[in-house]
Amino acid sequence: MKKTVSLLLSLLLLALAVSAGAESPLTAFCDSAEKLLFDTTNVTLTGKAEFSLDGEWFKTAEIRYMQDGENSFWKLDLTGPRSDGELIRNGYTVVANGERYFVMEVFYPGTYKPGTDTAQTTLLRRTVQLDRMMDLVRLLADEAGSLLGGDAISASAVGDTKTAVRIALDGDVPPLANTALNLLYQYAAKRYFHVDYDHVEDQHIVPMDYYFTVTQGILSCTKSVALKKLDVVMQEGADGLPERIAGEAAVMLSTGADGDRLLEVSFELDVSDVGSSTVKEFNPADYGVMMPEPEETAAAQELSEEEAAGYVDAARKIWAESGCGEAENMAGTARLEDGYSYVVLTNPEETARLSCIADPQGKVLELHNEINEWQQADVEFIFGEYPDENVNREAVEKVMQYLENIAPELLEQVNAMKTQWWVEYNGQTVLCMMEDPIAQDWDGVMVVIRVQPDWRVEYFSRIANG
């Protein structure tokens, strides 16, 4: 939940790594940054970052984060453009009280979701690997004096007790610094975005345009990064912590299918209220939100046995059409909410669970084989087309025929489907296909199919961008 904060602080660590030396005025900032990240239990951060790719703005992130012992408040506002120029707003607010947390998302106004996690008292939680990353930063800092000239760093006094340090780099930095930057980038991608580059092969990287968002494209298609420009001013506070960090950076992305792309970011981060930040116990009334009781949801509309049987029978037929012949003998339950039908089919052993959602007109919106192997935690998705062209071609043909059978009206919007990722696990081969080009509105089509050992639809959605 601290992705944006972590990215902004990573820029600070990058600056320290490529610029600090044994006698540099940045040495103290390296110590204070580590103190802020790992040892400060009461603090407030506010920040903003704007991102652009090849000169085109694609995201603005604004954050406010407060740590108060085991209590924390985290608000992230995201703004980005759609293909038609309209702005999309997203984000969330998270309040944590010890092991309990409460999430309020922009897309679901007026509601919240509770959850539990390990209590945390600092901005970042130490791990064995993160400690080694910090060792790398310090090791590089020790050698930075011989790598960079002194002109890149300047210091000035701010009042009687504070110091401001400016780092100005323009042009290629030494290979050693970029190698360290790549290790830090890949570590952050794995820790905060679950992208493991050890499982990415060059030949499977697809163009960035295949992804719903620019951020997904960057994470999935970047092979390496190189710092091209950095202009940042860091000001220390009287409490021994960074007080303000602001500036801009440019990083060249080497991608698998799109050549070099220039990622630019301008950012500012303010540190305040050290020792006086307060986060109250979560109270839904303070945020105007509520969590609907299960019985209220279930009672949205009563169904007679005959009506419920009709919805269940329709779900059985659509799942049989999807390659699950056993669905015809499964038991089913149905409910209706705001005209939308929700059906779940299960077998007597409860080893199979098939769900179906349809709109008030009876159009199927989503199908999901909920008990499967391809969504297990240890399964790695491989992005790109499946290496066997015959399998890919046959899969496309079957999916297009499938759409014609279950939702022929979709063929007016979907001209082609393309494999986006695939997995092989325990003798199964599963492909995820999306409409090509990918929809930029709320009605994107996605179909996940199992092609081996036999053909079956695992997941279908006509609201994949919703």
Side-chain angles (χ1 to χ4, degrees), residues 341-353:
S341 62
Y342 299 81
V343 178
V344 175
L345 306 177
T346 57
N347 62 1
E349 299 81 15
E350 296 188 353
T351 57
R353 179 182 173 91

Side-chain angles (χ1 to χ4, degrees), residues 146-381:
S146 61
L147 296 176
L148 300 172
D151 294 341
I153 306 169
S154 60
S156 59
V158 180
D160 297 330
T161 60
K162 300 178 181 179
T163 301
V165 179
R166 181 187 181 193
I167 309 166
L169 300 172
D170 195 352
D172 293 334
V173 302
L176 178 60
N178 276 327
T179 298
L181 170 60
N182 276 276
L183 292 176
L184 292 168
Y185 162 76
Q186 292 185 7
Y187 169 75
K190 183 177 180 179
R191 175 163 176 161
Y192 298 108
F193 296 94
H194 308 293
V195 177
D196 188 349
Y197 288 95
D198 192 38
H199 295 274
V200 177
E201 298 182 34
D202 198 349
Q203 67 268 26
H204 296 148
I205 300 178
V206 299
M208 294 172 64
D209 290 343
Y210 282 25
Y211 294 90
F212 286 148
T213 68
V214 176
T215 301
Q216 290 175 337
I218 290 173
L219 290 167
S220 301
C221 302
T222 297
K223 297 193 299 180
S224 64
V225 299
L227 182 65
K228 290 301 180 183
K229 182 179 180 180
L230 181 68
D231 191 348
V232 58
V233 176
M234 298 178 290
Q235 182 174 315
E236 67 176 3
D239 48 23
L241 299 176
E243 183 176 73
R244 178 173 171 81
I245 307 159
E248 56 186 22
V251 178
M252 189 65 71
L253 311 176
S254 175
T255 70
D258 298 287
D260 291 339
R261 308 291 296 271
L262 185 64
L263 174 65
E264 296 173 285
V265 55
S266 60
F267 55 92
E268 56 186 47
L269 183 68
D270 292 291
V271 181
S272 63
D273 299 328
V274 179
S276 61
S277 299
T278 301
V279 178
K280 298 192 304 181
E281 188 82 11
F282 177 74
N283 183 350
D286 293 339
Y287 301 92
V289 294
M290 61 182 297
M291 184 177 65
E293 295 294 334
E295 57 269 22
E296 294 178 359
T297 300
Q301 183 173 339
E302 295 292 338
L303 290 175
S304 66
E305 290 187 9
E306 183 178 356
E307 290 173 327
Y311 285 111
V312 169
D313 186 56
R316 289 182 180 132
K317 291 178 180 178
I318 197 68
W319 270 110
E321 183 71 37
S322 304
C324 298
E326 62 270 28
E328 296 180 348
N329 299 317
M330 288 185 177
T333 60
R335 73 178 195 275
L336 213 59
E337 297 177 24
D338 297 325
Y340 291 81
S341 62
Y342 299 81
V343 178
V344 175
L345 306 177
T346 57
N347 62 1
E349 299 81 15
E350 296 188 353
T351 57
R353 179 182 173 91
L354 309 175
S355 64
C356 176
I357 303 175
D359 70 5
Q361 288 73 45
K363 295 179 180 178
V364 177
L365 301 180
E366 182 181 88
L367 299 170
H368 189 191
N369 174 21
E370 297 182 5
I371 301 178
N372 61 67
E373 295 189 342
W374 57 275
Q375 286 185 306
Q376 300 303 310
D378 59 340
V379 175
E380 295 288 345
F381 294 172

Side-chain angles (χ1 to χ4, degrees), residues 404-423:
E404 184 176 359
N405 293 341
I406 70 163
E409 70 279 0
L410 285 179
L411 297 184
E412 297 179 4
Q413 118 184 20
V414 180
N415 296 317
M417 299 289 290
K418 189 169 185 177
T419 303
Q420 297 297 309
W421 54 257
W422 55 275
V423 297

Side-chain angles (χ1 to χ4, degrees), residues 14 44 58 105 126 158 228-229 242 291 321 398 459:
L14 166 64
T44 295
F58 68 88
E105 298 180 78
R126 284 192 180 276
V158 180
K228 290 301 180 183
K229 182 179 180 180
M291 184 177 65
E321 183 71 37
K398 285 192 173 183
Y459 180 82

